[in-house]
Amino acid sequence: MNFTKLALTAAALALSSVVTHAADISGAGATFPYPIYAKWADAYKKETGIGLNYQSIGSGGGIKQIKAKTVTFGASDAPLPGKELDESGLAQFPMVMGAIVPVVNLEGIKPGDLTLDGVAVAKIYLGEIKSWDDPAIAKLNPDVKLPKQAIVPVRRSDGSGTTYNFAYYLADVSPDWKSKVGVSTAVQWPVGIGAKGNEGVANNVANTKGAIGYVEYAYAKQNKLTHTKMVNKAGKTVAPTSAAFQAAAANADWKSQPGYGVILANQPGDQSWPMTAATWILLYKKPTDAPTTAEVLKFFAWSYAKGDKMAEELDYVPMPDTVVNDIQRMWSVEIKDGSGKPLFSPTN
């Protein structure tokens, strides 16, 4: 599989300090939003001369690096609880929404040909469904000729917010998954081949016959991987589309959780995609390098204001304007320099 497009975005994101008069900004974490952060970074540097050095290392790594203060911001698809945010002195806010999709490598099966539900996916990753012609899969796909082929589950080996959201969904639909595996950024997988990042899972699935994996939709779309349809909470079969992601996100009560930490898995609604997810940014409320944090906030404000079309082109869902306005008010109140002066105001 040729991952040319991701390589191009990687080249765009691995920006060096060619423009010496402007301080580049640094972040690390989630691979889920990597394609859109790459696109925003490229456009932002062309407009402002300020580059972004973002390490796509997984949510667990991003949380570790921001706590170690080796980057200006961390990025995670698993929101930190309020107590941990308070103890660490961190502010948290969602940047964009997207979706996780199952992807498969089966000869003769095209994107959208195969339908799965959460219970079947849980049983595959529990090692209970081992062949593609299993009766549980056949029942969901009466018109599909399923091969008698071993299923090769591919999963994340690193600390991953994608895994957190995937496991959260499986725990919501499968009591066995909830009791035997649970929900975390890194779980004890009963079966499967481990791979690092959305990139690694996508690459492994693309090169392994009979494989199934879970990746952010932009990776599936950019690399022409075979995604499945899913049966949602309402019992409807849905395809991964922007409209389905927006339907899942439509009724989210963002202020109901500290740091806007709302999980969008298994939302109600006939059109809702069941594995929709947000991704969050972590910043210190009182950063040691206030000027660089101020530059980071300018980048995120620019992304909220000018990045929606770019996000939609990659099948991400932009944050609603009402949520963005609330987030930027939070910035102006909570993120300050050593003298107590806000690093951002909604008018700058």
Side-chain angles (χ1 to χ4, degrees):
M1 173 66 70
N2 184 353
F3 285 74
T4 304
K5 289 186 179 178
L6 277 182
L8 288 173
T9 52
L13 195 51
L15 301 170
S16 62
S17 54
V18 175
V19 183
T20 55
H21 66 273
D24 283 359
I25 51 183
S26 65
T31 66
F32 178 93
Y34 176 78
I36 186 55
Y37 289 177
K39 198 166 188 175
W40 284 341
D42 187 36
Y44 189 70
K45 183 161 189 179
K46 287 174 182 173
E47 187 171 316
T48 66
I50 295 174
L52 168 65
N53 177 16
Y54 181 74
Q55 303 169 53
S56 175
I57 59 173
S59 298
I63 292 167
K64 287 178 182 175
Q65 288 216 19
I66 187 63
K67 287 187 174 182
K69 300 185 178 179
T70 56
V71 290
T72 309
F73 71 89
S76 175
D77 306 325
L80 297 187
K83 183 181 179 184
E84 189 172 352
L85 290 170
D86 291 343
E87 289 173 350
S88 303
L90 291 166
Q92 174 178 271
F93 53 91
M95 200 62 222
V96 71
M97 296 172 282
I100 301 161
V101 296
V103 289
V104 300
N105 183 341
L106 292 171
E107 191 171 347
I109 300 294
K110 302 186 297 297
D113 280 357
L114 194 71
T115 297
L116 296 173
D117 62 13
V119 173
V121 174
K123 287 184 176 181
I124 288 170
Y125 278 91
L126 286 167
E128 295 173 6
I129 293 179
K130 299 179 181 180
S131 177
W132 283 110
D133 62 350
D134 188 278
I137 300 176
K139 185 177 179 181
L140 293 165
N141 298 276
D143 299 323
V144 179
K145 187 176 164 93
L146 296 167
K148 187 174 182 62
Q149 183 175 18
I151 299 175
V152 183
V154 181
R155 37 74 175 180
R156 293 286 289 272
S157 59
D158 51 339
S160 158
T162 307
T163 292
Y164 179 90
N165 283 279
F166 183 66
Y168 188 102
Y169 166 67
L170 295 184
D172 204 50
V173 298
S174 166
D176 281 350
W177 182 273
K178 187 173 185 178
S179 63
K180 294 177 181 178
V181 181
V183 181
S184 180
T185 54
V187 299
Q188 292 296 314
W189 296 96
V191 295
I193 298 170
K196 189 173 181 180
N198 273 280
E199 306 96 321
V201 173
N203 203 5
N204 267 267
V205 171
N207 291 292
T208 307
K209 298 295 184 185
I212 183 172
Y214 58 96
V215 296
E216 198 281 313
Y217 182 58
Y219 288 84
K221 187 175 182 180
Q222 284 185 11
N223 297 291
K224 298 180 172 60
L225 298 178
T226 301
H227 65 262
T228 75
K229 292 180 179 175
M230 289 290 292
V231 178
N232 66 14
K233 189 172 188 175
K236 305 294 184 181
T237 299
V238 290
T241 64
S242 291
F245 309 155
Q246 288 168 346
N251 297 316
D253 183 2
W254 291 101
K255 296 184 77 171
S256 66
Q257 298 295 324
Y260 308 89
V262 176
I263 304 299
L264 299 174
N266 211 29
Q267 292 292 305
D270 286 359
Q271 305 300 319
S272 296
W273 181 256
M275 288 189 284
T276 304
T279 188
W280 289 264
I281 297 297
L282 295 163
L283 279 171
Y284 279 100
K285 293 180 179 180
K286 295 180 180 177
T288 52
D289 185 350
T292 304
T293 296
E295 289 295 340
V296 168
L297 291 174
K298 287 179 185 177
F299 169 71
F300 291 137
W302 178 94
S303 300
Y304 280 140
K306 298 186 177 183
D308 285 5
K309 186 171 184 294
M310 286 180 271
E312 289 166 352
E313 287 169 353
L314 290 176
D315 292 281
Y316 291 91
V317 179
M319 298 304 301
D321 289 343
T322 53
V323 181
V324 170
N325 292 338
D326 194 74
I327 288 168
Q328 293 185 339
R329 282 194 294 271
M330 180 273 287
W331 292 351
S332 67
V333 171
E334 296 191 8
I335 303 176
K336 300 177 180 180
D337 65 15
S339 68
K341 181 183 176 183
L343 296 181
F344 176 89
S345 66
T347 57
N348 68 5

